[in-house]
Amino acid sequence: MTSLSSAHTDDTHGHHGHDDDGGHGTFKGYLTGFILSVILTAIPFWLVMGDVLDSRLFAAVLILVLAAVQVVVHMIYFLHMNTRVEGGWSMTALIFTLILVGIMLCGSFWVMYHLNTNMMPQMSPEMIKALP
């Protein structure tokens, strides 16, 4: 009878047999995530609107890096993802998803590059002028 009563007291204290180890957000954590998100949004906006950088390629790469950092900030501060949540399965699923997306993006760029190289005729300035 004592084992039943001890199991019942565990359920009444909100344990319910879940083993997620995920931290629940605090006001300080949400505020930190919000401030970081605002900063990581304002910097690319300033870079583009202020025409700060001369190189468009460097600006685009910097904006993509800041976007990736912002995704990580959202996952940590708002989605509460870490290696302990759900026994590491959510992080494993995220890594698997990133690998699949990387394969799809690289494959798409490879196919488009080779289609452009092998299928498009080389046009001379005279041919371009002759187009309607």
Side-chain angles (χ1 to χ4, degrees), residues 18-24 80 82-87:
H18 296 291
D19 189 25
D20 62 1
D21 290 325
H24 298 286
H80 312 294
N82 58 34
T83 56
R84 297 179 312 236
V85 173
E86 296 178 8

Side-chain angles (χ1 to χ4, degrees), residues 3-4 7 17 22-23 31 43 45 47 55 61 64 75-76 95 100 122 124:
S3 63
L4 287 176
L31 187 62
I43 292 172
F45 185 80
L47 287 174
S55 172
V61 169
L64 287 174
M75 288 184 348
I76 292 171
I95 292 169
L100 284 179
Q122 297 297 325
S124 66

Side-chain angles (χ1 to χ4, degrees), residues 72-124:
V72 172
V73 166
H74 281 256
M75 288 184 348
I76 292 171
Y77 287 100
F78 300 123
L79 298 176
H80 312 294
M81 287 186 70
N82 58 34
T83 56
R84 297 179 312 236
V85 173
E86 296 178 8
W89 283 109
S90 61
M91 191 62 67
T92 304
L94 173 68
I95 292 169
F96 180 69
T97 302
L98 291 175
I99 290 170
L100 284 179
V101 167
I103 290 170
M104 288 178 11
L105 281 174
C106 291
S108 297
F109 285 136
W110 180 71
V111 166
M112 293 300 173
Y113 172 78
H114 284 284
L115 282 174
N116 184 45
T117 303
N118 297 323
M119 300 290 286
M120 295 299 293
Q122 297 297 325
M123 299 187 81
S124 66

